[in-house]
Amino acid sequence: MELPFAESWKIKMVEPIRKSTRAEREQWIKEAHYNVFQLKAEQVYIDCITDSGTGAMSDRQWAAMMMGDESYAGASSFFRLKETITRITGFNYVVPTHQGRAAENVLFSYLIKPGDVVPGNSHFDTTKGHIESRKAFAIDCTIDEAKDTQLEIPFKGNVSPEKLEKTLIENKGKVPFIVVTITNNTAGGQPVSMQNLREVRAIADKYGIPVLFDSARFAENAYFIKTREEGYADKTIKEIVKEMFELADGMTMSSKKDGLVNMGGFIATRREDWYEGAKRFCIPFEGYLTYGGMNGRDMDALAVGLDENTEFDNLETRIKQVEYLAQKLDLYGIPYQRPAGGHAIFVDASKILTNVPKEEFPAQTLTVELYLEAGIRGCEIGYILADRDPVTRENRFNGLDLLRLAIPRRVYTNNHMDVIAAALKNVFDRREQITHGVKIVWEAELMRHFTVQLEPVK
Ligand code: F0G
């Protein structure tokens, strides 16, 4: 008999979690203004709000923390981190930051001016926020196929070369760089193929524009290249990662994802001008250049995390768990962005809550329903997250409206996945009866989803 698949690690430390009653959850979600970001974590049973900073570190990472050098300047922890980043990515300039959006803030302060245009594949909300807050424009050049959640193609996160080239032609002289997000979070944790990265590079070179990779989940992207793209099956993850980054001028990184740490980020680049520019903003915003908002011990944990997560076994365990959840949803007929993404399942709320009008935010409504059902916290990646158009101030209803179930790395077992799937099925089974959604009572101008206050529509 062939042995079944199992995790490539065993568990050394556990943290209790607690169930609650529906009555408790009804009270809590009301107090949270029907916004799951406003819940207390202890009011949540299984937390899939994000895979960011929520992973479990390994024994090797904890051991490395003991070697942290907390010197203000020139800490050996920084040099261990820098050496690791350079070895893995090929980039020789490294600027640490306290998380991914801080890396964006530092680098974009140097690169973006008002009126600029930054094309890319579904910019993440902080990336878009850091572009739009500088009075510049984020142009989404993701392939159209990404909008059809039921279409199964291997690299749904790809950039459309036609859209990209058109944007560059129409905005000559206004494009400081192209950003490629690997994996494409907003489109469903969907990977970008090596071939597509090569095409982007070729177009960028033709117009003399640099390329930045938003690399939060670069290792998961490499896993998909290895398992789905022709010619990569026999390459190691580290070889694929190197090849990917050869096609970029630099990267911003949220280390809270594929760095396997709870906090951290960095900028890495081969361009001296970017490095010099970033240095100027790192010092006032983040801190001195050899810590940039990170503890020495955290830089050591990150160095080990980057090494561990660019190994196949670790990635396989992770991605197979996300696939496991997807298979359960298939069994129940629940529609999600296909194929399953690297870090999350994105449930297609607009195909489930068909009786809730888009003005009443179906994905947010589904998020609340799932929480009420079983204390499971996902998050809306849909019309609320899309914010209003900066010019017209209208809601943006042109994208997808999804409930994201992000799976923390090395935290839950497949039994938890079974509970998530069963709870979602229960909501799915009574979908016809859900006819009202939520309305906005208060919202912030940018990145409103974190603090928005909602009320059920009666
Ligand atoms: N880029 C991508 C693709 C991201 O997914 C994130 C964060 C960031 C940049 C910003 O990094 O959080 O370290 O400042 N995504 C998290 C998420 C928050 O839940 O998807 P950060």
Side-chain angles (χ1 to χ4, degrees):
M1 180 176 175
E2 197 188 330
L3 297 182
F5 179 79
E7 291 78 4
S8 64
W9 35 256
K10 57 181 177 171
I11 296 163
K12 192 162 350 207
M13 192 187 282
V14 295
E15 174 186 340
I17 51 176
R18 184 183 157 268
K19 289 188 202 171
S20 51
T21 63
R22 187 170 175 114
E24 284 176 318
R25 293 191 291 275
E26 278 170 3
Q27 179 63 28
W28 293 334
I29 194 74
K30 188 168 175 222
E31 286 165 6
H33 303 282
Y34 298 88
N35 177 352
V36 293
F37 283 97
Q38 307 291 314
L39 289 168
K40 292 184 179 144
E42 64 188 23
Q43 297 167 339
V44 174
Y45 173 40
I46 302 174
D47 204 351
C48 297
I49 197 167
T50 183
D51 63 320
S52 180
T54 52
M57 294 211 298
S58 68
D59 50 0
R60 293 194 316 158
Q61 286 179 284
W62 282 107
M65 289 190 79
M66 301 306 288
M67 302 302 288
D69 174 357
E70 306 302 339
S71 303
Y72 188 94
S76 54
S77 299
F78 169 75
F79 292 104
R80 283 190 285 273
L81 174 61
K82 178 173 181 283
E83 182 276 325
T84 306
I85 292 170
T86 303
R87 174 165 48 79
I88 290 175
T89 66
F91 298 132
N92 47 345
Y93 298 112
V94 175
V95 178
T97 60
H98 79 275
Q99 61 183 89
R101 67 199 68 184
E104 293 164 359
N105 187 32
V106 167
L107 188 62
F108 294 5
S109 292
Y110 167 65
L111 288 177
I112 299 181
K113 43 180 207 320
D116 278 353
V117 167
V118 182
N121 54 339
S122 329
H123 312 64
F124 183 66
D125 57 338
T126 61
T127 318
K128 193 162 74 181
H130 275 300
I131 294 168
E132 292 180 348
S133 67
R134 290 177 171 80
K135 307 259 182 286
F137 302 93
I139 310 286
D140 186 359
C141 298
T142 309
I143 54 169
D144 288 333
E145 289 89 330
K147 281 201 176 182
D148 177 357
T149 58
Q150 299 313 292
L151 180 73
E152 194 126 2
I153 54 168
F155 292 101
K156 227 174 176 175
N158 279 357
V159 180
S160 156
E162 296 77 33
K163 287 189 202 175
L164 176 63
E165 189 152 13
K166 186 165 173 279
T167 307
L168 296 186
I169 291 169
E170 287 173 358
N171 297 284
K172 234 177 148 217
K174 283 196 244 166
V175 182
F177 61 95
I178 298 161
V179 60
V180 187
T181 305
I182 51 174
T183 58
N184 184 330
N185 179 3
T186 313
Q190 298 293 326
V192 178
S193 70
M194 192 72 85
Q195 189 195 333
N196 190 244
L197 294 177
R198 254 188 241 115
E199 283 165 350
V200 169
R201 183 77 252 177
I203 295 168
D205 287 346
K206 183 169 160 194
Y207 295 90
I209 311 251
V211 179
L212 176 75
F213 286 175
D214 175 353
S215 311
R217 301 177 183 85
F218 73 94
E220 290 170 6
N221 201 82
Y223 173 90
F224 286 119
I225 290 176
K226 181 176 168 75
T227 53
R228 291 182 185 171
E229 193 162 351
E230 219 191 301
Y232 289 93
D234 296 330
K235 296 209 163 131
T236 65
I237 296 292
K238 284 196 165 65
E239 284 166 346
I240 296 168
V241 165
K242 243 326 184 2
E243 192 174 327
M244 280 162 43
F245 284 120
E246 273 164 19
L247 299 163
D249 293 86
M251 66 190 285
T252 47
M253 178 70 187
S254 169
S255 307
K256 304 169 70 169
K257 285 86 165 174
D258 276 352
L260 298 180
V261 291
N262 303 115
M263 190 55 70
F266 59 86
I267 300 161
T269 177
R270 64 180 94 260
R271 290 181 68 119
E272 195 182 353
D273 57 336
W274 282 15
Y275 176 62
E276 290 300 327
K279 265 164 71 177
R280 288 216 305 271
F281 292 98
C282 181
I283 293 175
F285 290 164
E286 293 295 298
Y288 183 63
L289 302 171
T290 57
Y291 75 89
M294 290 187 74
N295 295 312
R297 53 182 171 271
D298 289 346
M299 289 191 279
D300 271 304
L302 173 56
V304 175
L306 287 168
D307 242 336
E308 267 180 13
N309 208 26
T310 44
E311 290 297 328
F312 182 75
D313 286 358
N314 200 66
L315 288 163
E316 186 186 36
T317 296
R318 156 140 189 89
I319 310 260
K320 286 224 151 116
Q321 183 167 55
V322 179
E323 272 169 19
Y324 176 87
L325 176 58
Q327 283 158 9
K328 287 266 150 173
L329 301 194
D330 285 343
L331 209 60
Y332 305 145
I334 300 171
Y336 58 88
Q337 171 70 300
R338 310 185 70 88
H343 68 293
I345 299 291
F346 291 63
V347 181
D348 192 343
S350 61
K351 286 198 163 49
I352 298 175
L353 297 186
T354 48
N355 294 335
V356 176
K358 65 179 188 313
E359 292 77 12
E360 294 178 18
F361 306 107
Q364 180 64 24
T365 307
L366 188 61
T367 306
V368 170
E369 286 293 337
L370 182 64
Y371 175 71
L372 287 172
E373 180 67 30
I376 295 161
R377 176 161 70 167
C379 80
E380 191 248 30
I381 302 272
Y383 302 145
I384 293 182
L385 179 109
D387 274 336
R388 289 174 189 272
D389 183 283
V391 180
T392 66
R393 301 308 299 155
E394 292 295 325
N395 280 310
R396 294 191 262 208
F397 290 123
N398 54 342
L400 294 170
D401 196 36
L402 308 167
L403 155 62
R404 185 182 77 170
L405 297 166
I407 312 300
R409 293 168 184 77
R410 311 191 286 207
V411 169
Y412 292 116
T413 68
N414 285 0
N415 290 331
H416 295 107
M417 300 301 119
D418 290 343
V419 175
I420 297 168
L424 200 55
K425 180 183 188 300
N426 291 346
V427 177
F428 185 65
D429 286 348
R430 56 180 167 80
R431 63 193 179 280
E432 296 295 330
Q433 284 93 60
I434 303 172
T435 51
H436 292 299
V438 288
K439 64 171 185 231
I440 295 177
V441 185
W442 181 89
E443 66 184 289
E445 198 175 322
L446 264 185
M447 293 190 222
R448 62 181 178 179
H449 62 290
F450 290 120
T451 52
V452 69
Q453 296 184 0
L454 303 158
E455 249 174 30
V457 177
K458 286 282 174 313

